[in-house]
Amino acid sequence: MRAVLAALLAVLAAPALAARQCEPVVGQGWPPAVGNYGQAASQLLGGQAEDELSLLMLPARGEESQVLLRRDASNGQWTVLAGLAEKRIYSWNSGASRVGVNLRLDQSPSFAQAPLPEALAQRVVEVWAQALSTPEVAARAPVTDGEVVSFTINGERYSGLRPGCGQLEALLEQAALLTELAHSKDKKYEKRYEAIERALDKMHNRFSGEDAG
C-alpha cells in the first residue's frame, strides 16, 4: 500500500508546463482493447456507476488502484475511497492449454476511506469537470501500450496516457492528495483538507486565464 501511495505522491514533484503546451494524451472512453479490463478493475476497486469522480490506474506492472469521490444520497456525506488490488488483476496466460488474458477478479482488494467536507468536495468536482472539458482531452481515447490512466466525472470516462503537463497533470496531484486523505487518521483530516485546498488554489492561479475550450 505504501508503495502505491508513494507512486501517486511522486507526481507532486514532477515539473509541469502550461496547458496550451500540452498535446492531448487522454480522450473520451476507453483505449482500444482496454474496456473490458478497465471496467472490471474499476468495479472491483470500488465501483463506478454512482461515483462523482474517480481516477483508475492500470499500471504496466504491479497492482491496479483507484481513488474515487462519492456522495451518499441518504445523508449527503461525501467520502473519498481508495482501493488497491490484492494481486494484479490483468494476467497473461501463456501455458500449453491456454493462451490469452485472464482477469483475476476472485480477490479481496484493500480499501481506505475518509470524509470530505461538502464545500470542498463540490469544488473538487467542479475543477475536474472543467479540466476534463479543455482541449487537453481528445475526442477519443488514444491507443496505449503499457500504463493507462482513466478519469471519470459525473458518469463520463476519459482515458489514455499519464498526463505530463497541464491541467490533467494537476488532477493527478489532487488524486494523490485524496488518496493520502483516505489513508489518514482522523486527527490528520484538517491538514489533508488544507493541502487539497492549496492544490486547487495553485491550479486556479496557473490556469484561470487559459481558454477552457
Side-chain angles (χ1 to χ4, degrees):
M1 180 67 70
R2 290 183 178 179
V4 173
L5 180 58
L8 286 169
L9 292 173
V11 301
L12 294 172
L17 301 175
R20 61 180 175 273
Q21 297 174 289
C22 298
E23 294 295 328
V25 295
V26 168
Q28 295 183 34
W30 293 105
V34 175
N36 289 342
Y37 165 38
Q39 289 173 8
S42 179
Q43 194 64 38
L44 183 67
L45 296 173
Q48 60 187 56
E50 303 300 326
D51 300 336
E52 295 290 341
L53 62 82
S54 68
L55 173 62
L56 174 69
M57 306 294 291
L58 304 176
R61 299 178 183 83
E63 293 78 20
E64 298 84 354
S65 63
Q66 181 170 245
V67 60
L68 55 88
L69 176 61
R70 61 159 56 113
R71 180 178 181 272
D72 188 327
S74 65
N75 59 21
Q77 174 65 57
W78 291 82
T79 301
V80 176
L81 179 68
L84 174 66
E86 179 183 19
K87 56 190 174 184
R88 182 167 174 80
I89 297 169
Y90 185 97
S91 176
W92 177 260
N93 289 331
S94 57
S97 60
R98 180 183 177 187
V99 176
V101 174
N102 176 44
L103 299 181
R104 296 187 289 190
L105 303 178
D106 184 16
Q107 59 171 288
S108 300
S110 59
F111 292 98
Q113 65 179 40
L116 194 66
E118 181 175 8
L120 180 54
Q122 290 183 346
R123 186 181 179 196
V124 173
V125 171
E126 180 181 353
V127 167
W128 281 48
Q130 182 176 352
L132 290 165
S133 67
T134 69
E136 289 186 41
V137 177
R140 293 184 180 179
V143 175
T144 57
D145 181 16
E147 182 184 44
V148 174
V149 302
S150 185
F151 302 89
T152 66
I153 183 71
N154 296 324
E156 297 295 326
R157 184 168 293 280
Y158 306 88
S159 311
L161 306 174
R162 177 187 290 266
C165 58
Q167 296 189 57
L168 298 193
E169 186 187 43
L171 299 192
L172 295 183
E173 176 183 338
Q174 293 164 29
L177 293 173
L178 291 170
T179 300
E180 187 176 25
L181 168 63
H183 288 277
S184 296
K185 296 182 179 179
D186 296 12
K187 63 182 180 180
K188 294 285 189 179
Y189 286 171
E190 289 300 326
K191 181 179 179 180
R192 304 302 181 220
Y193 298 156
E194 291 171 2
I196 295 169
E197 287 278 14
R198 287 195 300 271
L200 294 169
D201 290 342
K202 176 183 174 182
M203 183 175 176
H204 174 77
N205 292 338
R206 290 181 59 214
F207 301 110
S208 59
E210 294 186 357
D211 181 14

